[in-house]
Amino acid sequence: MISRRPTHPGEVLLEDVIKPLNLTITEAARDLGVSRKTLSELVNKKSALSSEMALRIAKATKTSPASWLNMQTKLDLWNALQHEPKNVSEFPHKKAV
Amino acid sequence: MISRRPTHPGEVLLEDVIKPLNLTITEAARDLGVSRKTLSELVNKKSALSSEMALRIAKATKTSPASWLNMQTKLDLWNALQHEPKNVSEFPHKKAV
DNA sequence: AGTATTGACACGTAACGGGTTACAAATTAT
DNA sequence: ATAATTTGTAACCCGTTACGTGTCAATACT
């Protein structure tokens, strides 16, 4: 494992894309075709990046959707690792047939 | 970009893990600590692989959770690409300050 | 025949992404 | 300072989804 919490994709979108372009959340939301609320919650890390949003961001920024989606996947995994599931037993080795 | 639908992680779990070990769905579900229904739906591709399930499978099979989760992410992306979002405009280039 | 396994169904719960509307606070422009 | 814009967030609605328990008919195994 990863020890440090991976960066939230919404943070990257805000800091590396929206801010450098001098776009407002309102303008960026319009370009992405989503509500201002949806984008606001994303960049404020209140919601996760959906695969559909990954596609929208990719189209608007001419980048790869996978690069955005992978950020979220890494974060999801990190979050899951913080509360490892109990009552899981290792699968037994090959049983007789 | 990807033309063929990526393999569902539940299918891999069934074909490459559960069947080779001669485990039943019922037994495997018990080992994973989930209900039989949950595992059945997963291996029959009726539901997606959650990050928590990825962790459970990883623990039970001593493999990497990321390898399982990435299968689902690839599938999610492929599915999303089948209905590309409209009303998305490319972000304008740097505006004046 | 009798037992085990399976997929599918109903039903319920909790979480979540997303939309609209509204408002107070903060920021920016005039 | 005043006015206009921007922003975060709450309230409320909706649809989707993962997961649990229970049940049942069909199939497979012994």
Side-chain angles (χ1 to χ4, degrees):
Chain A
M1 341 329 182
I2 305 171
S3 49
R4 246 180 39 269
R5 174 183 221 114
T7 308
H8 190 291
E11 195 181 328
V12 178
L13 179 63
L14 180 63
E15 300 298 333
D16 297 0
V17 180
I18 297 179
K19 280 188 178 177
L21 291 176
N22 283 304
L23 287 172
T24 65
I25 300 296
T26 307
E27 291 169 329
R30 186 169 19 74
D31 292 344
L32 291 170
V34 299
S35 75
R36 183 172 67 81
K37 181 205 167 213
T38 296
L39 181 58
S40 174
E41 286 183 341
L42 178 63
V43 302
N44 285 290
K45 300 182 272 187
K46 298 291 167 58
S47 69
L49 182 128
S50 65
S51 46
E52 214 216 305
M53 267 302 284
L55 243 64
R56 291 180 183 277
I57 297 172
K59 284 186 96 172
T61 60
K62 295 216 170 281
T63 56
S64 138
S67 65
W68 293 97
L69 205 48
N70 286 338
M71 287 187 232
Q72 186 61 53
T73 301
K74 283 193 180 68
L75 186 52
D76 287 345
L77 184 54
W78 190 89
N79 284 330
L81 283 168
Q82 304 313 110
H83 336 72
E84 288 223 34
K86 286 293 171 199
N87 54 309
V88 178
S89 311
E90 189 178 346
F91 282 151
H93 295 150
K94 187 131 185 228
K95 300 194 313 178
V97 187
Chain B
M1 315 321 168
I2 306 174
S3 49
R4 249 182 34 270
R5 177 185 218 111
T7 308
H8 191 291
E11 195 181 327
V12 179
L13 179 63
L14 180 62
E15 300 298 332
D16 297 0
V17 179
I18 296 178
K19 280 189 179 176
L21 291 176
N22 284 303
L23 287 172
T24 64
I25 302 295
T26 308
E27 290 169 329
R30 186 172 17 76
D31 291 344
L32 291 170
V34 298
S35 75
R36 182 173 68 83
K37 182 201 168 220
T38 296
L39 182 58
S40 173
E41 286 182 342
L42 179 63
V43 302
N44 284 290
K45 300 183 272 186
K46 299 291 168 57
S47 70
L49 181 127
S50 66
S51 46
E52 215 216 306
M53 266 301 285
L55 243 63
R56 290 180 184 276
I57 297 172
K59 285 186 93 173
T61 60
K62 296 221 170 276
T63 56
S64 139
S67 65
W68 293 96
L69 206 46
N70 286 337
M71 286 187 232
Q72 185 61 53
T73 301
K74 284 194 180 67
L75 187 51
D76 287 345
L77 184 55
W78 189 90
N79 284 330
L81 282 169
Q82 304 313 112
H83 336 73
E84 288 224 32
K86 286 294 171 196
N87 55 310
V88 178
S89 311
E90 190 177 345
F91 283 152
H93 295 148
K94 187 130 186 228
K95 299 194 312 179
V97 188

